[in-house]
Each structure stands twice: as C-alpha cells, then as structure tokens.
C-alpha cells in the first residue's frame, strides 16, 4: 500500500514527465497566457482528482489525453475557469526563451494558428494526429470509430494544405 | 507543408518544450491539497440550495392546499395551487436529476460521451423553463370564484375565459417550442437574452455540433 506522500510524488513525477502534453493542449485551446495558466491548473487539478481511480490496465496517455482534452474543451466553451486558481505570485507554467530556427518558428506559429481556428472537437483530433497516436487510440480517446477518425483526419489535412497553399 | 514536415515540426516543438518548459512544483502541490479540502463547485452548491428552498416552498404550497380543502375554498383556487405544486415538484425533480448528473461526471470518459453529458446537463435548464411555462394559466384562474361566474356570466365568458385560454395556449406553445431547434428565432433570443443563459444556449448548440461530428 502506497502512502499518501508517495502517491502525491508519483503524480507530480507523471505530470512532469508529460508536461508537454498539458502545455500543447492548453496552447491549442487558449492563446492568452493567463487563460493558459488557468487551464493548465484546471487540467492538473482534474487529473489529480481522477488519479486514484486510474485503472492501470489502460494506457496512461489515453487516460491523460481524455481528461486534458475534456477539461480544455469545457474550459474553452465556458470561457471561464471552473475551479478557483491558485495565485501565489508564481506561475505554474514557466517557459524560458528557447526559439527554433526562424523558418521553423514561423511554420510552427502558422500551424498553431491553424489548429486554433479549428472547431474544438476537430482541434482535439488534430493534436492527437500530430502526436502520432494510432487511429485506434485516437478513436478511443475521442469516442468515434476508427473509420470516422481516418475520414476526419483526411479532411482536416486537406484544409491545412489549402491554407498553407494560400499563404505561399 | 506536407504531412511528414508537419509531424517533424511538431516533434521539434516537443524538443523545444522539453528544454524550455518547466512546471512549478509548489503550485502542483497546492492543487493536490485543494482536492483534499473537497472543493465543491459553486454551481453544485447553488443547485443544492435551490432544491432545499424548492422543497420548503412545496411544503408551503401543500399546507395552503390542505387549508383550502379544509375551509372549502374555491375549486379554482385549489386547482390552481395544485397545478402550481405539480409543476414545482417536476422542476425540483429535474434539479435533483441535474445534481445526479453532475455527480456522474467523469472526465476520463471519452471526449464525445463526456461532452455530450455536460451539454445535456446544461440544456436541461431549458426543459425546466419550458415546464415552468405550463403553469401560466394558473395565474389567471386562482382568483376566479363561483359567485363571479353566476353573477356576471357575460363578463366572465367574454373577458376571463379568453384570457385563460390565451394563457393556456401560450403556456403549451412555449413548453413545446422552447428547445434548441428554435435557437435562431427572434422570440427565443429575446426570452433567453441574459448572460445567465449564455452557457445553456452554447451547450445546446454544442450538442448539435457533437451530433454532426459523430455522423459526418
């Protein structure tokens, strides 16, 4: 039997190991830094709330994506936080200046902007596609058939292609 | 940008985040403590209060009905209060259902299932409003007396009866029409124009978006 402190530490380690997932989802649903901070806190709070119910027979990433995406979509639709955020003068998300090469940075911004323009459910699908999740796992996270996943991904990619062609 | 370029770009983004992103441990620990304190969402607290006050109100209405029957009050008065009580009980039952659904919320369910539950939960408020309109005629009947009908039958038939019928028709029409299909209608927008309805309306619209996402 694990002690409370061990459980808490395990959780913190899992969050740190998957911090990129949380940040990318927050960044895709909130462009504003304050909202992003609030959303990240809400996601971590909800992950912790579900932590003891996590069934280890399932994939950790599937569980994490489900919660993070559900919280992000609800947050985006409500346009407000559901749990009081903690403000101690510090920030949960700390980003140091680390830029990609100019061309790559511009492409990344364009890609991020494209993602932000998608409808909330398409956005979730696009994030999972970019994370190279297999169609089966994407279907499991979103709750649609694998055939539907393939069709939708195809459509989103087509939109993206047109968007980039128009820009160039 | 082709698919491979796009995925490679995302991988580079990952590497960049790995180097530059850190999460504040102190805040994560605070968030863990918040759960331990059992933070209750304000909406849930408001609904619990609404149910509690609603039950007290229904008890009050029950006492009025008891008094009306005991003192042989007008049948119109008694029937009006009974209808009002039935509608109030239904509204409370729906509030309790909302509380039950809030407790059923599990963020680890798949996105479609979870979002559909959430949107359904919020749009249930529209159903409660629709049902509340069913009691509209009651506000035109509770003061009718047998004496009035006998002493001024023409006035009653020409003025009061059309008013009661109009309120009944309006109540039934609103009950039937307050639903998401009419969201674009002018009267609907007017009725649900306050900021307190924004969330409900958006949820109802999102339900349609979910349906279309599932099937297209």
């Amino acid at each position: 039997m694990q002690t409370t402190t061990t459980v808490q530490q395990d959780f913190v380690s899992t969050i740190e190991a998957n911090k990129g997932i949380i940040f990318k989802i927050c960044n895709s649903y909130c462009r504003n830094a304050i909202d992003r901070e609030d959303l990240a806190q809400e996601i971590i709070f909800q992950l912790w709330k579900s932590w003891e119910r996590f069934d280890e027979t399932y994939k950790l990433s599937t569980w994490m994506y489900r919660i993070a995406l559900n919280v992000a979509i609800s947050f985006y639709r409500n346009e407000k936080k559901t749990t009081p955020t903690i403000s101690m003068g510090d920030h949960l998300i700390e980003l140091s200046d680390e830029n990609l090469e100019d061309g790559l940075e511009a492409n990344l911004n364009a890609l991020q902007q494209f993602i932000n323009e998608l409808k909330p459910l398409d956005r979730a699908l696009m994030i999972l596609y970019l994370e190279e999740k297999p169609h089966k796992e994407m279907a499991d996270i979103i709750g649609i058939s694998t055939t539907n996943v393939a069709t939708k991904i195809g459509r989103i990619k087509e939109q993206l292609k047109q968007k980039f062609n128009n820009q160039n | 940008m082709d698919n491979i370029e796009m995925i490679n770009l995302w991988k580079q983004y990952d590497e960049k985040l790995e180097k530059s992103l850190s999460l504040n441990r102190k805040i994560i620990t605070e968030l863990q403590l918040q759960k331990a304190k059992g933070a209750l969402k304000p909406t849930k607290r408001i609904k619990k209060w609404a149910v509690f006050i609603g039950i007290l109100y229904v008890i009050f209405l029950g006492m009025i009905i008891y008094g009306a029957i005991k003192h042989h009050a007008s049948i119109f008065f008694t029937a009006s209060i009974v209808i009002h009580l039935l509608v109030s009980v239904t509204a409370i039952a729906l509030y309790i259902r909302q509380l039950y659904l809030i407790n059923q919320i599990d963020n680890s369910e798949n996105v479609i299932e979870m979002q559909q539950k959430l949107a359904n939960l919020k749009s249930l408020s529209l159903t409660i409003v629709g049902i509340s309109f069913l009691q509209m005629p009651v506000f035109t009947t509770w003061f009718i007396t047998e004496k009035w009908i006998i002493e001024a039958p023409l006035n009653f038939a020409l003025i009061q009866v059309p008013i009661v019928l109009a309120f009944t028709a309006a109540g039934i029409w609103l009950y039937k029409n307050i639903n998401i299909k009419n969201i674009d209608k002018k009267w609907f927008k007017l009725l649900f124009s306050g900021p307190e309805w924004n969330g409900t309306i958006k949820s109802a619209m999102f339900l349609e978006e979910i349906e279309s996402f599932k099937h297209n």
Side-chain angles (χ1 to χ4, degrees):
Chain A
M1 182 109 181
Q2 287 183 303
T3 63
T4 312
T5 325
T6 322
V7 175
Q8 284 180 342
Q9 280 166 359
D10 279 353
F11 176 76
V12 177
S13 308
T14 308
I15 293 296
E16 280 187 339
N18 295 282
K19 60 187 179 189
I21 294 179
I22 297 172
F23 182 81
K24 281 180 278 183
I25 290 177
C26 291
N27 207 25
S28 301
Y29 284 88
C30 307
R31 291 304 277 161
N32 171 308
I34 299 168
D35 286 347
R36 205 159 49 220
E37 173 82 17
D38 286 350
L39 176 56
Q41 288 198 21
E42 179 70 20
I43 289 175
I44 293 174
F45 177 73
Q46 294 299 334
L47 284 168
W48 174 238
K49 262 175 82 177
S50 301
W51 184 244
E52 55 200 31
R53 279 182 281 132
F54 170 59
D55 183 345
E56 284 179 13
T57 53
Y58 290 100
K59 268 180 99 170
L60 178 76
S61 67
T62 303
W63 172 81
M64 209 159 179
Y65 274 113
R66 275 184 172 189
I67 295 180
L69 287 170
N70 269 323
V71 175
I73 294 171
S74 305
F75 185 94
Y76 169 81
R77 285 181 37 235
N78 292 333
E79 288 169 11
K80 65 179 169 76
K81 51 190 178 278
T82 48
T83 311
T85 48
I86 292 165
S87 174
M88 296 180 293
D90 296 335
H91 294 288
L92 170 66
I93 299 171
E94 286 159 358
L95 266 178
S96 61
D97 283 339
E98 183 85 36
N99 286 332
L100 295 172
E101 289 166 37
D102 279 355
L104 286 176
E105 195 71 41
N107 274 347
L108 183 61
N109 284 338
L111 178 61
Q112 192 67 67
Q113 194 178 339
F114 171 76
I115 296 171
N116 285 75
E117 283 166 8
L118 290 170
K119 287 181 175 175
L121 296 171
D122 286 338
R123 215 178 291 187
L125 214 47
M126 187 62 188
I127 296 169
L128 296 172
Y129 168 74
L130 291 169
E131 293 286 319
E132 294 186 281
K133 293 285 157 201
H135 282 191
K136 168 85 182 64
E137 193 178 351
M138 284 161 82
D140 200 22
I141 293 168
I142 303 287
I144 51 176
S145 66
T146 43
T147 326
N148 209 348
V149 166
T151 315
K152 285 182 187 302
I153 291 288
R155 267 188 225 151
I156 299 171
K157 281 197 296 196
E158 196 50 46
Q159 279 180 46
L160 181 70
K161 210 171 168 182
Q162 279 176 8
K163 180 120 187 151
F164 272 96
N165 287 343
N166 290 344
Q167 272 182 354
N168 296 328
Chain B
M1 195 191 296
D2 64 25
N3 297 340
I4 299 168
E5 279 177 317
M6 198 160 60
I7 287 171
N8 280 338
L9 182 63
W10 201 252
K11 275 184 187 157
Q12 282 174 299
Y13 180 31
D14 246 341
E15 286 162 15
K16 173 188 155 179
L17 286 177
E18 198 53 49
K19 286 182 205 156
S20 63
L21 175 71
S22 58
L23 296 177
N24 187 327
R25 269 183 170 255
K26 196 164 80 177
I27 295 190
I28 299 178
T29 311
E30 276 297 313
L31 288 168
Q32 288 176 308
L33 289 174
Q34 208 177 45
K35 186 219 156 191
K37 284 180 204 155
L40 188 66
K41 283 185 180 174
T43 43
K44 202 168 158 185
R45 205 166 22 220
I46 292 166
K47 285 199 191 302
K48 278 189 174 172
W49 270 105
V51 168
F52 176 69
I53 291 167
I55 289 171
L56 288 182
Y57 184 61
V58 162
I59 292 171
F60 170 70
L61 290 177
M63 283 159 62
I64 293 180
I65 293 167
Y66 174 76
I69 293 169
K70 199 175 170 190
H71 297 99
H72 307 289
S74 150
I75 181 73
F76 293 99
F77 176 79
T78 312
S80 300
I81 303 292
V82 167
I83 292 169
H84 181 48
L85 179 129
L86 291 175
V87 171
S88 303
V89 168
T90 312
I92 292 170
L94 287 174
Y95 263 113
I96 293 171
R97 178 160 169 72
Q98 270 188 321
L99 276 171
Y100 168 77
L101 289 175
I102 290 174
N103 284 329
Q104 295 297 303
I105 285 172
D106 176 5
N107 276 312
S108 63
E109 281 181 79
N110 72 54
V111 173
I112 290 290
E113 210 170 317
M114 162 74 188
Q115 294 302 321
Q116 212 158 12
K117 270 188 189 170
L118 273 180
N120 268 326
L121 175 68
K122 279 203 169 171
S123 55
L124 203 59
S125 302
L126 282 183
T127 313
I128 296 176
V129 176
I131 286 171
S132 303
F133 274 114
L134 272 181
Q135 61 184 326
M136 266 177 78
V138 160
F139 299 101
T140 63
T141 55
W142 67 273
F143 47 84
I144 296 173
T145 59
E146 287 88 347
K147 196 179 160 201
W148 178 11
I149 300 172
I150 294 163
E151 286 178 0
L154 206 60
N155 276 354
F156 181 79
L158 292 179
I159 300 170
Q160 193 58 25
V161 171
I163 290 174
V164 174
L165 289 177
F167 271 68
T168 308
I172 293 172
W173 188 86
L174 284 165
Y175 168 68
K176 283 187 167 175
N177 287 283
I178 291 179
N179 65 51
I180 184 65
K181 284 176 195 143
N182 293 317
I183 206 154
D184 293 324
K185 305 269 168 66
K186 223 174 177 179
W187 64 266
F188 192 97
K189 286 179 183 164
L190 200 73
L191 203 60
F192 299 100
S193 58
E196 68 275 19
W197 288 105
N198 287 350
T200 309
I201 303 299
K202 273 190 197 165
S203 294
M205 287 164 78
F206 192 53
L207 268 176
E208 289 204 325
E209 202 178 311
I210 294 172
E211 279 308 313
S212 126
F213 183 85
K214 273 162 68 181
H215 303 295
N216 293 316

